[in-house]
Amino acid sequence: MVATNAEETKHLFLAVMEAILESLGIVEANQEEDDNILKEFENGSQMMVANFYPPCPQPDLTLGMPPHSDYGFLTLLLQDEVEGLQIQHQDKWVTVQPIPNAFVVNVGDHLEVIHKFSSFLKKWKMHTQYSYMHFITQFCKPNGYTNIHYILY
């Protein structure tokens, strides 16, 4: 099951990266495969994590996950139905409403560096009555021989 999930999320990652790179004019849909940076991402690093947060009697006194940005290019997040993810927007913490069977796509620090996308701070809040779980797949870098400098602007 984990191997299937890893394969499927990698296909989703590649499709999202292709759309991002096409929108930036870095990759064209009909570009030769040998000259396509997406080929470099196919064998890049991928990390999968499952986090479980039990109910907490005093959620204001603890952090589910402290504020952080994501390392890497993109993070695909699958939440359960409990509201836990918060992002920082205009110096305020905003709760992200879970959407059933949908991924949250987070821009990572690497994508921010190569093309001025904004990575953002996020954190996980605790609940007094509910436990919740989320699954993360993070894609960090293309294969070890890729020179990223050629996609900088």
Side-chain angles (χ1 to χ4, degrees):
M1 184 167 143
V2 172
T4 301
N5 184 287
E7 268 184 53
E8 295 299 323
T9 55
K10 181 169 250 179
H11 290 302
L12 178 58
F13 163 73
L14 291 170
V16 172
M17 279 303 296
E18 181 176 24
I20 289 171
L21 295 173
E22 282 180 23
S23 73
L24 298 173
I26 295 170
V27 171
E28 295 180 18
N30 58 358
Q31 190 171 356
E32 292 283 330
E33 191 170 317
D34 292 343
D35 194 30
N36 193 329
I37 189 171
L38 284 172
K39 192 78 173 151
E40 302 293 332
F41 282 101
E42 288 179 11
N43 296 317
S45 60
Q46 176 179 358
M47 176 178 65
M48 298 179 71
V49 177
N51 290 324
F52 174 75
Y53 299 94
C56 179
Q58 295 179 300
D60 295 337
L61 299 179
T62 188
L63 289 173
M65 177 71 72
H68 66 282
S69 62
D70 286 341
Y71 177 80
F73 281 91
L74 289 179
T75 298
L76 303 176
L77 167 69
L78 183 61
Q79 303 180 84
D80 64 12
E81 68 280 352
V82 178
E83 297 172 356
L85 175 62
Q86 294 184 315
I87 61 168
Q88 192 173 50
H89 178 67
Q90 298 178 345
D91 296 325
K92 293 183 181 173
W93 289 103
V94 178
T95 299
V96 176
Q97 300 299 317
I99 299 172
N101 302 314
F103 282 95
V104 174
V105 179
N106 294 327
V107 171
D109 296 336
H110 288 173
L111 195 52
E112 179 179 28
V113 168
I114 67 166
H115 200 282
K116 300 177 186 172
F117 273 102
S118 292
S119 177
F120 52 87
L121 288 178
K122 65 184 148 312
K123 66 179 184 176
W124 294 91
K125 67 179 182 176
M126 301 300 290
H127 292 275
T128 56
Q129 297 177 326
Y130 303 107
S131 62
Y132 67 96
M133 183 168 225
H134 63 262
F135 300 91
I136 299 169
T137 304
Q138 188 174 72
F139 299 89
C140 295
K141 63 178 186 167
N143 77 48
Y145 303 104
T146 303
N147 291 320
I148 293 298
H149 69 272
Y150 69 87
I151 61 174
L152 290 170
Y153 284 82

